[in-house]
Amino acid sequence: MADVYVDGKPGLAELEAAFCDAFGVPSPAVFDGGDAARSFVDFIDKYSVAECWLLERKRFATKLNIYLYQKEEVTSKLSRLSNILGMPVVVDVGRDIRDDNAFLFTPAGDILSGSLEPTPAISLNGQEDVRFSPEAAA
């Protein structure tokens, strides 16, 4: 699945509760990407899971690598995830940060098409901050 980012820094327990509700899966389902002792590998053949990474940037700082158990429609699930968290969720469907087509899911249930764009600010570890830029109306 494409990269998914949450515009905020929810705690791992809050993120897991929201993911389990939105995707209809049991716990454990969200794993800290930096915790090698607790891996999603033991669960990926049972249900959909996510690996979570906290990035050093101001916007869209929580990255989720979602591994789907089976092919499924995720639009309503990502919309529900945004609603439960009360934070925007963006799906990056581009190849890299220079051409990142994306879809933004708002907590209010809106889905916007646009792109992720780098901002001038760069953090101490060199990660670019990004912002979501909606497509211009035709």
Side-chain angles (χ1 to χ4, degrees):
M1 187 172 165
D3 291 338
V4 176
Y5 299 93
V6 177
D7 192 8
K9 297 179 182 178
L12 194 60
E14 177 187 9
L15 187 58
E16 179 168 63
F19 181 85
C20 289
D21 187 334
F23 279 76
V25 297
S27 180
V30 175
F31 300 85
D32 182 343
D35 184 3
R38 187 168 180 232
S39 174
F40 64 89
V41 175
D42 296 331
F43 302 94
I44 197 168
D45 63 344
K46 298 174 183 150
Y47 50 85
S48 297
V49 296
E51 186 177 31
C52 174
W53 298 89
L54 189 57
L55 306 177
E56 294 293 326
R57 58 189 193 195
K58 294 176 185 171
R59 302 289 314 270
F60 301 105
T62 302
K63 180 181 180 186
L64 292 175
N65 294 330
I66 298 176
Y67 302 94
L68 299 175
Y69 173 65
Q70 59 192 7
K71 187 176 179 178
E72 59 186 291
E73 164 49 45
V74 296
T75 304
S76 63
K77 294 175 182 187
L78 291 170
S79 184
R80 178 136 175 79
L81 180 65
S82 174
N83 178 264
I84 295 167
L85 290 172
M87 300 173 191
V89 171
V90 71
V91 178
D92 171 5
V93 294
R95 292 180 303 187
D96 60 41
I97 198 66
R98 303 286 175 225
D99 72 337
D100 279 349
N101 296 320
F103 294 97
L104 179 77
F105 296 82
T106 70
D110 298 318
I111 302 172
L112 306 172
S113 179
S115 61
L116 281 178
E117 298 176 344
T119 62
I122 296 190
S123 70
L124 294 176
N125 67 359
Q127 291 181 359
E128 291 180 305
D129 275 327
V130 296
R131 68 173 173 242
F132 178 80
S133 179
E135 277 184 356

